């Protein structure tokens, strides 16, 4: 009788970098199915551009392009540094200047550029190309697969190029036609029409730019030959580089921020006093002396290999006791004037029908501003819901807005435009793509 051979299994080492370059993982990172990746990536590029301009003190001016084969955003900001581009290509870590801070910003996860590099490759299955012009340098990032080593092969070429003298210009070469991944989808019902997928995605691109204009009175957008002019170039909101408030932190949040500083080589010798001075209302010498801990370094708060939570909680309590909470209005209010202009110019709303409500308050220790604007469109229009969190449009309807429409008996066939915006220092996102939020 023959004896069955025994398989001697080998143990393979598979790079985790490849996980970011699979459809399943990238769908979780982006928060949308691959058919909508170009729309989600365009949103990320717009958000990044707005943030960069604001933190540099510029009224944002964005030129947006979205076609079957390309999406791009050009801004008038300070430009993305070459080292940031290079560091973002390391898929073993995330590069973010927001992740540990609690403040009302458009994004916090540090994965936007990583999804931009990866998505064209995953969509094509063979090769992805993204170009960036910034600060006199032209970056070309080409992504292929090293099948033998089972990891992505990222080729980053740089050359001096003065094509873009100011700001950043990011161009994503999209490898497939709008319908190539849409087999079986059929016609999509959107805003009262049944559309083929190509038309649907084109309209979503336009809607995304329009929605961005709704929540940013200080920004000018150009898309497909249409310019959405800023209504208030000097309008102010809480910027990404404004000092954060100690009142927005829990002991756990503060612990993570301190740990981030300790682990970051340039900040490894930061004192507690220097750390405290970075918070709103605590930059004065008198406040820092009152909080105490002179001559103490952040690393001195480490006990038995971890931060001493009792010390962290005590420090946070002192910081809160010697600073004032931020009023909700200080986050930034868009206002009825801008919403009225947007609704009449871009949503076809009768100005006499517009109703606006602003609600301010606190959710625990976090201030928030809720603005709701409604108007009646033409008789042949259908319900349009525009919703935003911290001055960026959300691509998925918020369940609370759908519930609101149900309570007010606003049906999908009704010619009503509803715009809702919420500003808050921190949202409880329930997915990595920042598309599901617990309000």
């Amino acid at each position: 009788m023959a004896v069955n051979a025994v398989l001697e299994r080998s143990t393979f080492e598979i790079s985790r970098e490849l996980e970011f370059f699979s459809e399943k993982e990238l769908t979780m990172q982006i928060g949308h199915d691959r058919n909508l990746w170009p729309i989600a990536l365009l949103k990320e590029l717009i958000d990044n551009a707005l943030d960069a301009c604001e933190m540099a003190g510029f009224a944002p001016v964005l030129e947006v392009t979205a076609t079957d084969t390309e999406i791009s955003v050009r801004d008038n900001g300070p430009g993305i540094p070459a080292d940031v581009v290079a560091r973002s290509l390391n898929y073993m870590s995330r590069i973010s200047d927001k992740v540990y801070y609690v403040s009302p910003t458009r994004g916090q996860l540090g994965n936007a550029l990583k999804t931009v590099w990866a998505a064209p490759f995953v969509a094509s299955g063979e090769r992805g190309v993204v170009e960036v012009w910034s600060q006199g340098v032209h970056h070309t990032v080409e992504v292929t697969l090293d099948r033998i080593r089972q990891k992505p092969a990222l080729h980053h070429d740089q050359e001096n190029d003065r094509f873009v003298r100011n700001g950043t210009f990011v161009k994503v070469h999209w490898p497939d036609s709008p319908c190539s991944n849409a087999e079986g989808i059929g016609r999509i019902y959107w805003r009262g029409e049944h559309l083929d997928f190509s038309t649907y995605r084109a309209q979503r691109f336009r809607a995304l730019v329009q929605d961005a204009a709704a929540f940013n009175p200080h920004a000018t957008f150009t898309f497909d030959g249409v310019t959405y002019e800023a209504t208030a170039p000097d309008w102010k909101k809480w910027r990404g580089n404004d000092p954060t408030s100690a009142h927005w932190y829990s002991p756990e949040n503060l612990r993570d921020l301190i740990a981030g500083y300790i682990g970051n080589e340039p900040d490894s010798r930061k004192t507690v006093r220097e750390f405290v001075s970075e918070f709103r209302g605590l930059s004065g010498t008198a406040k820092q002396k009152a909080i105490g801990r002179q001559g103490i370094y952040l690393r001195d708060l480490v006990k038995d290999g971890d931060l001493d939570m009792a010390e962290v909680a005590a420090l946070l309590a002192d910081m809160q006791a010697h600073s004032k909470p931020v009023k909700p209005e200080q986050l930034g209010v868009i206002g009825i004037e801008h919403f009225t202009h947007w609704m009449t110019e871009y949503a076809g709303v009768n100005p006499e029908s517009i109703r606006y409500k602003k609600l301010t308050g606190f959710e625990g220790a976090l201030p928030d501003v809720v603005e709701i604007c409604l108007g009646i469109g033409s008789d042949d229009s259908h319900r349009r819901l525009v919703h935003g969190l911290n001055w960026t449009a959300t691509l998925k309807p918020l369940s609370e807005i759908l519930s609101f429409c149900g309570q007010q008996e606003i049906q999908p066939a009704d010619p009503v435009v509803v715009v809702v915006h919420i500003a808050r220092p921190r949202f409880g996102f329930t997915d990595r793509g920042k598309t599901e939020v617990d309000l």
Side-chain angles (χ1 to χ4, degrees):
M1 188 171 89
V3 179
N4 290 333
V6 176
L7 173 63
E8 300 249 354
R9 292 180 178 268
S10 294
T11 301
F12 300 103
E13 182 175 337
I14 302 173
S15 172
R16 295 203 63 181
E17 294 177 72
L18 197 61
E19 292 181 1
F20 223 109
F21 292 80
S22 69
E23 180 176 351
K24 179 180 179 181
E25 176 67 18
L26 203 54
T27 296
M28 289 190 290
Q29 294 285 349
I30 295 176
H32 298 274
D33 292 337
R34 64 184 292 164
N35 295 308
L36 296 182
W37 285 356
I39 298 168
L41 294 179
L42 184 62
K43 175 187 175 303
E44 292 290 347
L45 294 179
I46 290 173
D47 287 350
N48 284 356
L50 291 170
D51 285 343
C53 293
E54 289 172 358
M55 289 193 285
F58 303 149
V61 178
L62 276 61
E63 300 175 17
V64 182
T65 300
T67 67
D68 291 357
T69 59
E70 166 192 324
I71 59 174
S72 68
V73 175
R74 181 171 181 171
D75 65 57
N76 64 323
I80 182 171
D83 70 302
V84 173
V85 174
R87 291 165 62 199
S88 70
L89 295 170
N90 178 7
Y91 279 82
M92 299 307 293
S93 65
R94 289 179 175 172
I95 305 299
S96 175
D97 60 0
K98 302 175 183 178
V99 64
Y100 292 130
Y101 295 100
V102 178
S103 65
T105 58
R106 293 183 176 87
Q108 292 187 321
L109 300 186
N111 64 357
L113 279 178
K114 286 178 166 37
T115 59
V116 169
W117 309 136
F121 164 76
V122 177
S124 72
E126 297 179 356
R127 176 175 176 268
V129 178
V130 180
E131 295 180 271
V132 179
W133 290 265
S134 179
Q135 297 186 352
V137 179
H138 175 207
H139 305 264
T140 301
V141 177
E142 181 180 357
V143 181
T144 56
L145 174 65
D146 185 336
R147 198 171 301 279
I148 301 301
R149 298 173 64 194
Q150 283 298 292
K151 62 185 299 185
L154 291 93
H155 305 279
H156 178 202
D157 293 327
Q158 302 180 67
E159 61 180 355
N160 294 331
D161 190 329
R162 303 298 295 175
F163 171 60
V164 175
R165 295 183 178 273
N166 298 299
T168 300
F169 181 20
V170 181
K171 179 187 291 187
V172 180
H173 296 270
W174 201 248
D176 57 348
S177 71
C179 299
S180 63
N181 291 320
E183 295 180 7
I185 290 181
R187 298 180 68 81
I188 300 173
Y189 186 78
W190 191 63
R191 292 186 178 173
E193 297 182 85
H194 283 94
L195 308 172
D196 62 75
F197 187 76
S198 176
T199 304
Y200 165 73
R201 197 154 82 174
Q203 291 198 13
R204 286 293 301 264
F205 281 135
R206 180 178 299 278
L208 174 61
V209 177
Q210 287 186 349
D211 292 356
F215 301 126
N216 293 278
H218 60 328
T220 296
F221 301 86
T222 299
F223 176 75
D224 197 22
V226 178
T227 297
Y228 304 87
E229 294 283 356
T231 60
D234 296 329
W235 175 76
K236 302 298 182 184
K237 58 176 279 296
W238 198 282
R239 299 183 303 180
N241 55 354
D242 287 336
T244 64
S245 170
H247 296 269
W248 298 346
Y249 289 77
S250 67
E252 291 75 19
N253 295 140
L254 195 69
R255 174 200 61 196
D256 293 343
L257 179 59
I258 293 172
Y261 274 121
I262 295 173
N264 191 30
E265 184 63 30
D267 300 308
S268 60
R269 294 185 58 81
K270 187 182 290 290
T271 66
V272 172
R273 182 168 179 171
E274 289 172 329
F275 174 74
V276 167
S277 71
E278 297 177 353
F279 285 78
R280 181 181 178 88
L282 297 176
S283 60
T285 302
K287 295 287 186 70
Q288 295 165 29
K289 286 183 177 180
I291 293 174
R293 300 171 177 83
Q294 274 70 30
I296 303 297
Y297 291 87
L298 289 179
R299 64 172 181 263
D300 294 332
L301 303 180
V302 176
K303 182 179 180 180
D304 297 329
D306 198 356
L307 283 161
D308 187 330
M309 281 303 295
E311 290 289 341
V312 172
L315 175 61
L316 178 60
D318 288 342
M319 293 168 64
Q320 293 175 343
H322 289 88
S323 61
K324 296 180 180 179
V326 174
K327 296 178 181 179
E329 291 84 355
Q330 292 176 292
L331 301 180
V333 176
I334 297 173
I336 187 174
E337 292 82 5
H338 176 72
F339 281 132
T340 298
H341 172 83
W342 185 89
M343 283 192 143
T344 54
E345 290 293 320
Y346 310 127
V349 167
N350 179 350
E352 296 181 358
S353 70
I354 294 176
R355 298 293 183 271
Y356 170 84
K357 183 73 173 180
K358 179 185 72 176
L359 305 171
T360 61
F362 288 84
E363 181 70 26
L366 299 177
D368 58 24
V369 178
V370 180
E371 296 180 82
I372 307 172
C373 195
L374 298 90
I376 308 299
S378 59
D379 291 340
D380 59 349
S381 62
H382 290 74
R383 185 180 73 185
R384 180 175 179 180
L385 306 180
V386 182
H387 22 77
L389 305 174
N390 286 349
W391 311 283
T392 183
T394 62
L395 300 183
K396 290 182 180 178
L398 300 175
S399 59
E400 288 81 2
I401 297 179
L402 295 175
S403 297
F404 168 80
C405 289
Q407 294 167 4
Q408 302 301 317
E409 299 184 353
I410 302 174
Q411 303 302 319
D414 292 336
V416 178
V417 178
V418 181
V419 181
V420 178
H421 180 259
I422 306 172
R424 183 182 295 173
R426 182 179 68 245
F427 289 102
F429 290 106
T430 59
D431 68 330
R432 283 181 282 177
K434 301 173 290 183
T435 61
E436 302 289 346
V437 63
D438 181 7
L439 293 176

